[in-house]
């Protein structure tokens, strides 16, 4: 991670779960870290728990990734204030597990998931790439995917979530080729966790004794991918808790 010291990392969906663990890990690793969230007060709460030197490197910015105007304004502000983006972690994601794909009157629920998990990811990646290209930076874009982006499980409450994650899997390859053909050395990585303890899931009681990962496990994986030599690209990283049946 030495080459990233003092560089700028942007993490979407940073107010809880994997996003919160990731902004803490990146700030501790020496990066100027901007956590994007709708609930900005949660970023402030995270900072209060960190050593002063680490907290100084963590900054929160309000951004709803379902709104292009928010994304454009936020990335413009990051360029003005911090100089640009060197690393982007596309973590923001939602599920609507109580609404079926074929259920009546479900259009808004479908759009919420698609706009957050897929379109928001693309627009943030576009803006980060333009920032990297403008400054000739060999940056890194990381997508927080899912094992559901590779296999649809026989469950009736997944809604359009797996379709968006399959889209992330495809987009990772599309972006890799676009970056390669553009002559850049910008990396793109898909991280596909199994079950992780986040707010997307039901309560711990409902999960019972199911094997589960902690958000910090995924943050560690992101640091690993970022820390590889410049000649190495981790294209797809699948992480499952020991004993998971999926």
């Amino acid at each position: 991670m030495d080459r990233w010291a003092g560089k700028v990392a942007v993490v979407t969906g940073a107010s809880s779960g994997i996003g919160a663990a990731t902004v803490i890990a990146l700030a501790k690793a020496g990066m100027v870290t901007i956590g994007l969230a709708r609930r900005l007060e949660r970023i402030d709460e995270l900072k209060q728990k960190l050593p002063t030197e680490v907290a100084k490197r963590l900054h929160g910015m309000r951004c709803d990734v379902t709104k292009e105007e928010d994304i454009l304004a936020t990335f413009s502000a990051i360029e003005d204030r911090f100089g640009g983006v060197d690393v982007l972690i596309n973590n923001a994601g939602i599920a609507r597990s109580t609404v079926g794909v074929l259920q009546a009157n479900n259009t808004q629920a479908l759009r919420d998931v698609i706009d957050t998990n897929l379109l928001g990811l693309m627009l943030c990646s576009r803006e980060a790439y333009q920032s990297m290209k403008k400054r000739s930076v060999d940056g890194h874009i990381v997508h927080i995917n899912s094992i559901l982006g590779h296999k649809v499980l026989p469950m009736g409450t997944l809604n359009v979530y797996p379709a968006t994650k399959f889209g992330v899997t495809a987009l990772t390859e599309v972006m890799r080729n676009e970056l390669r053909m553009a002559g850049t050395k910008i990396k793109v990585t898909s991280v596909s966790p199994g079950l992780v303890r986040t707010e997307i899931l039901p309560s711990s009681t409902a999960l019972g004794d199911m094997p589960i990962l902690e958000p910090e496990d995924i943050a560690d994986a992101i640091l690993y991918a970022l820390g590889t030599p410049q000649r190495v690209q981790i294209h797809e990283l699948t992480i499952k808790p020991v004993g998971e049946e999926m």
Side-chain angles (χ1 to χ4, degrees):
M1 288 293 293
D2 290 347
R3 77 184 183 95
W4 296 115
K7 302 297 184 181
V8 177
V10 175
V11 181
T12 68
S15 62
S16 66
I18 295 171
T22 300
V23 292
I24 291 171
L26 292 173
K28 285 182 176 179
M31 297 196 72
V32 176
T33 306
I34 298 106
L36 307 187
R38 290 177 296 180
R39 298 170 294 184
L40 202 55
E41 66 280 1
R42 289 200 174 188
I43 307 295
D44 294 332
E45 291 170 6
L46 289 178
K47 292 181 67 172
Q48 292 172 13
K49 300 175 183 178
L50 298 174
T52 303
E53 283 305 308
V54 176
K56 286 180 180 178
R57 291 193 289 270
L58 177 56
H59 309 271
M61 297 185 76
R62 194 179 307 278
C63 181
D64 183 344
V65 300
T66 67
K67 298 176 180 177
E68 183 176 12
E69 60 271 24
D70 269 25
I71 293 172
L72 295 177
T74 299
F75 277 83
S76 178
I78 290 170
E79 181 173 357
D80 291 342
R81 184 175 173 186
F82 301 100
V85 181
D86 301 302
V87 168
L88 170 67
I89 314 297
N90 280 309
N91 168 72
I94 62 170
R96 292 289 184 265
S97 59
T98 60
V99 181
V101 171
L102 302 179
Q103 186 174 326
N105 304 314
N106 65 354
T107 304
Q108 190 58 55
L110 298 178
R111 284 181 174 155
D112 288 345
V113 178
I114 293 168
D115 286 350
T116 303
N117 297 5
L118 206 53
L119 187 56
L121 175 145
M122 284 188 279
L123 296 181
C124 288
S125 297
R126 180 191 70 193
E127 297 307 305
Y129 167 67
Q130 292 300 323
S131 176
M132 295 172 192
K133 179 183 176 183
K134 180 179 179 180
R135 297 172 297 122
S136 300
V137 167
D138 294 334
H140 202 144
I141 298 172
V142 178
H143 305 318
I144 302 305
N145 197 344
S146 169
I147 59 168
L148 294 175
H150 305 272
K151 179 180 180 180
V152 179
L153 302 176
M155 299 166 62
T157 57
L158 293 176
N159 189 272
V160 75
Y161 184 84
T164 62
K165 293 302 184 178
F166 264 76
V168 172
T169 300
L171 277 172
T172 304
E173 184 65 9
V174 168
M175 289 183 188
R176 185 186 71 84
N177 281 303
E178 284 196 13
L179 293 168
R180 175 181 60 82
M181 290 185 291
T184 81
K185 293 184 179 179
I186 299 170
K187 301 180 186 181
V188 59
T189 298
S190 163
V191 177
S192 298
L195 199 62
V196 183
R197 197 184 310 278
T198 69
E199 292 183 354
I200 288 180
L201 296 178
S203 67
S204 299
T205 303
L207 294 173
D209 296 326
M210 292 177 66
I212 191 166
L213 297 164
E214 298 298 332
E216 291 75 15
D217 300 326
I218 312 308
D220 287 344
I222 292 168
L223 291 187
Y224 163 69
L226 292 176
T228 54
Q230 287 183 280
R231 67 182 180 275
V232 175
Q233 173 162 283
I234 305 299
H235 188 59
E236 173 61 45
L237 185 56
T238 303
I239 310 169
K240 296 183 180 183
V242 173
E244 182 175 84
E245 295 181 0
M246 292 187 283

